Amino acid sequence: MTARVLEVEGQFLYLPGCMIMSFDDPTTRTAEVKLVRMVQGVDLGRLAETHNVYKNVVHDLVGVEEASQELDSIMQRSPRFNKWLLVPAYGLASVAVGPFAFDARPIDMPICFFLGSLVGFMQHVLAPKSVLYSNVFEVSAAVLTSFLARAFGSIKSPFGGEEYLFCFSALAQSSIALILPGFMVLCSSLELQSHQMIAGSIRMVYAIIYSLFLGYGITVGTTIYGLLDGAANSQTTCKRLDVWGSEYIQHFVFVPVYVVFLAIINQAKWKQVPTMIVIAICGYVTNYFSTKKLGSNSEVANTVGAFTVGLLGNLYSRLWHGHAATAILPGIFVLVPSGLASSGSLMAGITYANEVRENLAKSNSSDTLNSASQDTSIASLGFGMIQVAIGITVGLFIAALVVYPFGKRRSGLFSF
């Protein structure tokens, strides 16, 4: 499509992280092949600006030279928010996602902030300095945060009526919520929807493998602390949730706060934030009530939430000519932690950790550790991500079909 507008004889193949471009010369019947590789990242502000340049070129509003200069200025511009602002933003986002996704209480919020900031420091300060460490960042972050979360969660409460001061499951899950593969799930869904089978399949499989890494890290971290502390907390749910007074305050108030910090972390423009908040809240509200009605393990709840997000995003693109992909990304980031938390897959490793401790305690017993529990604990998060990904993909498919029953003529769906 773009090649026809530019009057270029070319063919293009996109793979995650690189693009293969073949430029044909019909006179000499030769072709020149170029391979462009680029480190992937998320910058919603630049994404919207780049798409505007692309749309102007496709509609013959600007020339190629002017568009090239605009792209150069976009790429050379420094990030909107520097890394030292992103580190506390990670902590505040973990505080915001805790109550509505993982049942965190007000007393858990300082620890959530500390663990979330630790993940942000590891991702934006340590990982860029070492290529070797960046390859194991996800596993190391999951191991460290789950270890510290169980350590804090095992502190005895000085108050009467409850056993532990902090909620272990909320601390462990909220700290890694920002490194869950929400963006990869969204991209793979959009690419599969556009019949980009190679790129979409690669991203979807990588999102599942990535989830297995996180599940392995959580299992290792909780198991190590369980071996060090015989009285470690093994509760996978939080108690005393009545401290919020209303479940709607606990779940609905913190969603827009979480979206604001997501916008900061993903370098979005401030004028994009109101649309993101509206779409994310609508998607979460429908997902929340669907989960209560249909059950926690129903993929239909994720489909309903994703359908709402996709419907509003496509309407925003069609009626107000906005950029749908940037608007719906925070909504998907809200749905992924909620879907995984409702299925309980993030905390499946605690069962294996308890069995390790029990078998070591039975020194005179010949029983061996049940290997099935280990396999289940590690694979549970991957299976949970498959369920969430399928639900989100189907929901986005249906939403696109409703708004664009005959497709888009001159650009791709969701502006990707």
Side-chain angles (χ1 to χ4, degrees), residues 99-348:
F100 74 84
F102 308 115
D103 291 334
R105 304 160 301 176
I107 196 173
D108 301 321
M109 289 184 174
I111 310 300
C112 291
F113 175 80
F114 168 72
L115 295 178
S117 300
L118 182 62
V119 172
F121 179 80
M122 296 169 69
Q123 183 172 10
H124 291 283
V125 179
L126 296 182
K129 293 183 178 180
S130 173
V131 177
L132 182 61
Y133 175 71
S134 64
N135 294 330
V136 295
F137 157 70
E138 295 84 5
V139 177
S140 62
V143 170
L144 182 59
T145 54
S146 60
F147 178 87
L148 294 176
R150 199 171 190 189
F152 284 113
S154 300
I155 298 176
K156 298 292 183 178
S157 174
F159 310 105
E162 57 179 320
E163 186 177 357
Y164 298 104
L165 183 61
F166 302 109
C167 178
F168 156 59
S169 62
L171 299 180
Q173 296 176 100
S174 62
S175 59
I176 65 168
L178 289 170
I179 59 175
L180 290 174
F183 178 70
M184 283 184 282
V185 171
L186 173 62
C187 287
S188 62
S189 301
L190 300 183
E191 287 163 350
L192 290 173
Q193 177 180 288
S194 301
H195 299 286
Q196 302 292 333
M197 297 300 175
I198 298 177
S201 301
I202 291 174
R203 285 191 195 272
M204 187 68 75
V205 172
Y206 180 67
I208 296 170
I209 300 300
Y210 183 95
S211 303
L212 293 177
F213 283 144
L214 293 180
Y216 174 78
I218 294 174
T219 302
V220 171
T222 53
T223 303
I224 292 176
Y225 186 80
L227 296 177
L228 298 177
D229 185 1
N233 187 357
S234 300
Q235 298 174 356
T236 57
T237 57
C238 298
K239 298 180 179 179
R240 295 183 60 86
L241 296 178
D242 55 346
V243 68
W244 293 107
S246 171
E247 60 177 339
Y248 301 121
I249 295 177
Q250 174 190 352
H251 289 90
F252 298 153
V253 172
F254 289 94
V255 174
V257 180
Y258 180 56
V259 172
V260 170
F261 291 114
L262 279 179
I264 295 175
I265 292 170
N266 294 299
Q267 307 288 338
K269 297 180 179 179
W270 289 115
K271 66 179 181 180
Q272 297 172 312
V273 174
T275 306
M276 295 176 179
I277 291 177
V278 172
I279 293 177
I281 289 179
C282 293
Y284 178 75
V285 168
T286 54
N287 180 75
Y288 173 75
F289 286 108
S290 300
T291 302
K292 291 191 67 174
K293 190 71 175 179
L294 302 174
S296 60
N297 291 324
S298 175
E299 292 84 357
V300 179
N302 294 320
T303 302
V304 173
F307 171 76
T308 305
V309 170
L311 181 66
L312 294 177
N314 276 305
L315 289 176
Y316 173 65
S317 174
R318 182 159 194 169
L319 300 180
W320 289 280
H321 305 289
H323 191 230
T326 57
I328 69 175
L329 181 58
I332 301 300
F333 271 123
V334 169
L335 293 180
V336 169
S338 303
L340 290 176
S342 63
S343 64
S345 54
L346 281 172
M347 285 286 99

Side-chain angles (χ1 to χ4, degrees), residues 185 189 302-303 306 332 335-336 387-397:
V185 171
S189 301
N302 294 320
T303 302
I332 301 300
L335 293 180
V336 169
Q387 290 180 308
V388 173
I390 291 175
I392 290 176
T393 302
V394 174
L396 294 179
F397 280 9

Side-chain angles (χ1 to χ4, degrees), residues 8-26:
V8 174
E9 295 289 338
Q11 300 178 17
F12 307 91
L13 175 63
Y14 172 72
L15 298 174
C18 69
M19 176 173 281
I20 302 174
M21 299 178 289
S22 174
F23 299 99
D24 302 327
D25 188 350

Side-chain angles (χ1 to χ4, degrees), residues 43-99:
D43 191 319
L44 298 182
R46 290 179 179 175
L47 175 61
E49 294 176 1
T50 304
H51 178 258
N52 288 333
V53 174
Y54 157 76
K55 190 164 58 175
N56 291 335
V57 172
V58 170
H59 291 83
D60 292 326
L61 298 179
V62 298
V64 177
E65 294 80 7
E66 182 181 353
S68 299
Q69 294 176 359
E70 292 181 8
L71 289 177
D72 290 337
S73 63
I74 292 173
M75 295 299 295
Q76 295 172 3
R77 190 179 60 218
S78 59
R80 191 177 303 273
F81 305 104
N82 61 42
K83 60 183 178 182
W84 297 112
L85 181 61
L86 297 181
V87 171
Y90 266 72
L92 294 172
S94 298
V95 170
V97 75

